[in-house]
Amino acid sequence: MSSRVTVPRINLGFNSFSGLYLLALFVIVFGIWTPHLFLTAATVQSVASQQAVTAMLAIAVLIPLTAGAYDLSVGATINFSTIICVWLQTDQGWSMWPAIAVAIAACVVIGVINGFVIVRLRVNSFIATLGMGSIITAVQDIVSGQSQPTPPTTTSWMNLTRLSVAGFQIIVLYLLVLALIVWWALDHTPAGRYLYASGGNPEAARLAGVSVGRYTWFSMIASATVCGIAGVFYGSQTGPSLTFGVGLLLPAFAAVFLGSTQIKPGRFNLWGTMLAIYVLAVGVKGLQLITGVQWLAEMFNGVALVGAVSFATYRQRLGQSRALGRSDDPLPEVAEPTPIRTEDVAGLVPSRTGDG
């Protein structure tokens, strides 16, 4: 008797992998148009390295969204991490690792405060994190004196992200490790399933015994922690800036929402987000090489965000319509309900001591 091994089939249809086909189209078109500029190892390496921090910020956006919460403070948080880490090293004379630890710890505190305001004070996550972003920016200006700190020049600080590994900056490897950790946590642990349950249907999750508030709070802390790490890497790779975080907010959200239409359509997922990040980056890079204009990034990301959200909303409405039976097919006959007897549910009701 022979046993058959069932191999799971991967659906490579346009519905789930449109971004992959769009990426291939970009490579073909721009490769034919400007082969001497686009089809080079330097272009691949620069796109991979330059988008690493944006991809990390997109991961920070993704985690709360799986729990049904928005974190609009991620741009201010990543900026705050960079300024704190650099300021401690150049103005206060700290060594690199203690400065990194304090910067990330400060971001963890931000996540704790965000979670407290959302869960305990019951403030809408959109409003709470929007206000927290303004507060973080104000604190950053107080710490820095509204002047950009001088970047550290130590070799260890430079090599933290710029060290070459197989032709790529080591920050690309950091991104891959972070992505694998978050993917495993979201897709292969009970905590990840509880996050998705909290975001998908919080009332049903509560009835099933999931502590929705606790996991929402945890998602805000995890988001801020990732921002802290990404901010440190940005400071090492690019240097400090007082305003860069705001510019990364739109690309991060655009990637997460566009990613929700990829691989697992209708669900925020990590690999869809990673695919979306680099599809957008390749499209912007190709257009910039052809036209030479710099505003294409904002235009491209804005169109992608609006398009992705519109498509996701359309899919949701279509799914609801099908669930309600709004189609040309005749409605199935509904059987008469079976009467529920008392003895059928007696064993499901817990007994109380002291009942007569």
Side-chain angles (χ1 to χ4, degrees), residues 54-109:
T54 305
M56 291 180 187
L57 193 66
I59 293 174
V61 171
L62 169 71
I63 297 172
L65 282 176
T66 60
Y70 285 86
D71 189 354
L72 298 181
S73 67
V74 293
T77 304
I78 188 176
N79 219 142
F80 183 71
S81 173
T82 300
I83 296 302
I84 288 293
C85 188
V86 172
W87 174 76
L88 287 175
Q89 293 181 75
T90 56
D91 288 19
Q92 302 302 311
W94 287 37
S95 58
M96 183 182 73
W97 290 111
I100 291 175
V102 170
I104 296 175
C107 293
V108 172
V109 172

Side-chain angles (χ1 to χ4, degrees), residues 60 71 77 104 107-108 110-111 219-229:
D71 189 354
T77 304
I104 296 175
C107 293
V108 172
I110 292 172
S219 72
M220 303 307 294
I221 296 174
S223 173
T225 303
V226 173
C227 286
I229 296 170

Side-chain angles (χ1 to χ4, degrees), residues 6 14 17 28-29 56 113 121 155-156 203 206 239 322 329 332 343:
T6 303
F14 190 81
F17 286 90
I28 294 172
V29 171
M56 291 180 187
I113 296 174
L121 301 185
T155 303
S156 57
E203 292 304 321
R206 287 191 184 95
R322 289 176 176 174
D329 297 332
E343 54 269 25

Side-chain angles (χ1 to χ4, degrees), residues 65-68 193-205 316:
L65 282 176
T66 60
R193 291 191 288 271
Y194 294 153
L195 284 173
Y196 278 115
S198 300
N201 193 328
E203 292 304 321
Q316 184 179 12

Side-chain angles (χ1 to χ4, degrees), residues 14-354:
F14 190 81
N15 189 43
S16 299
F17 286 90
S18 57
L20 193 61
Y21 300 128
L22 184 60
L23 179 63
L25 178 63
F26 284 158
V27 172
I28 294 172
V29 171
F30 296 135
I32 295 174
W33 202 323
T34 57
H36 60 291
L37 293 176
F38 189 78
L39 294 180
T40 63
T43 299
V44 175
Q45 293 165 2
S46 67
V47 169
S49 302
Q50 291 171 4
Q51 295 302 312
V53 171
T54 305
M56 291 180 187
L57 193 66
I59 293 174
V61 171
L62 169 71
I63 297 172
L65 282 176
T66 60
Y70 285 86
D71 189 354
L72 298 181
S73 67
V74 293
T77 304
I78 188 176
N79 219 142
F80 183 71
S81 173
T82 300
I83 296 302
I84 288 293
C85 188
V86 172
W87 174 76
L88 287 175
Q89 293 181 75
T90 56
D91 288 19
Q92 302 302 311
W94 287 37
S95 58
M96 183 182 73
W97 290 111
I100 291 175
V102 170
I104 296 175
C107 293
V108 172
V109 172
I110 292 172
V112 172
I113 296 174
N114 276 338
F116 176 80
V117 174
I118 294 169
V119 177
R120 295 301 184 191
L121 301 185
R122 299 184 182 277
V123 178
N124 181 274
S125 63
F126 195 96
I127 302 300
T129 56
L130 185 63
M132 179 57 71
S134 297
I135 295 172
I136 296 169
T137 301
V139 174
Q140 172 188 295
D141 290 342
I142 294 172
V143 171
S144 64
Q146 294 185 305
S147 61
Q148 184 169 297
T150 305
T153 57
T154 60
T155 303
S156 57
W157 177 249
M158 300 292 185
N159 288 339
L160 182 65
T161 56
R162 303 181 195 179
L163 187 68
S164 179
V165 177
F168 294 87
Q169 290 184 355
I170 195 172
I171 192 173
V172 179
L173 179 61
Y174 297 155
L175 171 62
L176 179 59
V177 171
L178 177 63
L180 287 170
I181 292 172
V182 174
W183 164 74
W184 175 80
L186 289 179
D187 287 15
H188 295 87
T189 66
R193 291 191 288 271
Y194 294 153
L195 284 173
Y196 278 115
S198 300
N201 193 328
E203 292 304 321
R206 287 191 184 95
L207 293 174
V210 177
S211 180
V212 174
R214 179 188 302 171
Y215 285 100
T216 301
W217 202 331
F218 167 77
S219 72
M220 303 307 294
I221 296 174
S223 173
T225 303
V226 173
C227 286
I229 296 170
V232 170
F233 290 153
Y234 183 92
S236 172
Q237 183 186 34
T238 308
S241 169
L242 295 175
T243 58
F244 80 90
V246 177
L248 295 182
L249 188 62
L250 179 60
F253 270 92
V256 174
F257 278 96
L258 181 59
S260 68
T261 67
Q262 304 297 309
I263 301 179
K264 296 180 179 179
R267 181 181 184 181
F268 296 113
N269 64 92
L270 186 128
W271 297 121
T273 299
M274 293 297 100
L275 175 61
I277 278 285
Y278 285 102
V279 168
L280 294 174
V282 169
V284 170
K285 186 69 173 180
L287 290 173
Q288 287 178 341
L289 289 175
I290 292 172
T291 63
V293 298
Q294 298 301 316
W295 49 261
L296 280 169
E298 288 77 11
M299 175 72 74
F300 210 79
N301 290 322
V303 171
L305 179 59
V306 173
V309 173
S310 300
F311 183 69
T313 303
Y314 167 75
R315 286 179 58 88
Q316 184 179 12
R317 290 178 178 175
L318 183 63
Q320 291 174 347
S321 299
R322 289 176 176 174
L324 293 173
R326 295 175 184 171
S327 63
D328 296 333
D329 297 332
L331 293 176
E333 295 184 1
V334 180
E336 291 293 331
T338 303
I340 300 177
R341 299 176 300 173
T342 305
E343 54 269 25
D344 292 335
V345 296
L348 301 177
V349 181
S351 61
R352 294 176 295 175
T353 59

